[in-house]
Amino acid sequence: MDGNSLTEVPTNALNGPSALRVFSLRNNLIRIVKSDAFAAQSQLEKIDLRHNRINQLEGNAFAQLEKIKEIYLAGNRIGHINSDVFAGIGTLQKLDLAENFFDSFPVVALREIQNIKVLNISSNMIKQFDSTHLQSLKLLQILDVSRNDIASIS
């Protein structure tokens, strides 16, 4: 469903195939990812929402995704993520938040995804990086914070 003019995640269309593993909505016009947007597809392993116009992720937007491993949200307009957006998706291993509008590290939201191994938050507007930001991310192997406005690391 890449490269269309969708303005929201087509939740009703997801009620069909129960074996779907990868769902890509790249290059659309989506602004909001609503609660339980992918609930009908609990077997999804990868969601690609890159290059939309997303500026809001509602609480539990990715709830009930029991097998999710990768979420790509790069190239959107996200500046803040609430603590409950990633609630209940302990299987998530890769999260791409590059090219958004973050001016601070999303510490609270990331506490919910303790099994994350790869985090890309490059090309944002983060000004400060603190070593405590990573305390809950015990399995993190790759962190990309390049191309931000980081002036100090403490």
Side-chain angles (χ1 to χ4, degrees), residues 59-77:
N60 297 307
F62 302 102
Q64 300 181 32
L65 293 173
E66 302 164 357
K67 297 185 178 185
I68 192 74
K69 291 183 172 107
E70 303 175 21
I71 297 177
Y72 297 89
L73 291 163
N76 281 290
R77 300 173 180 175

Side-chain angles (χ1 to χ4, degrees), residues 39-94:
Q41 289 297 324
S42 62
Q43 302 303 305
L44 281 175
E45 295 177 7
K46 177 181 174 181
I47 296 173
D48 192 341
L49 292 164
R50 285 180 279 192
H51 303 289
N52 277 280
R53 296 179 180 173
I54 299 169
N55 61 13
Q56 181 182 356
L57 299 168
E58 289 186 358
N60 297 307
F62 302 102
Q64 300 181 32
L65 293 173
E66 302 164 357
K67 297 185 178 185
I68 192 74
K69 291 183 172 107
E70 303 175 21
I71 297 177
Y72 297 89
L73 291 163
N76 281 290
R77 300 173 180 175
I78 305 166
H80 176 77
I81 300 178
N82 290 332
S83 62
D84 56 354
V85 168
F86 300 116
I89 56 170
T91 58
L92 187 65
Q93 295 177 8
K94 184 173 187 176

Side-chain angles (χ1 to χ4, degrees), residues 21-45:
R21 298 288 182 256
V22 177
F23 192 52
S24 184
L25 290 163
R26 290 176 72 165
N27 299 307
N28 277 286
L29 304 172
I30 298 168
R31 294 181 186 273
I32 298 173
V33 179
K34 296 182 179 180
S35 296
D36 298 315
F38 302 96
Q41 289 297 324
S42 62
Q43 302 303 305
L44 281 175
E45 295 177 7

Side-chain angles (χ1 to χ4, degrees), residues 6-23:
L6 296 171
T7 57
E8 60 184 36
V9 175
T11 53
N12 290 335
L14 295 176
N15 289 332
S18 60
L20 194 63
R21 298 288 182 256
V22 177
F23 192 52

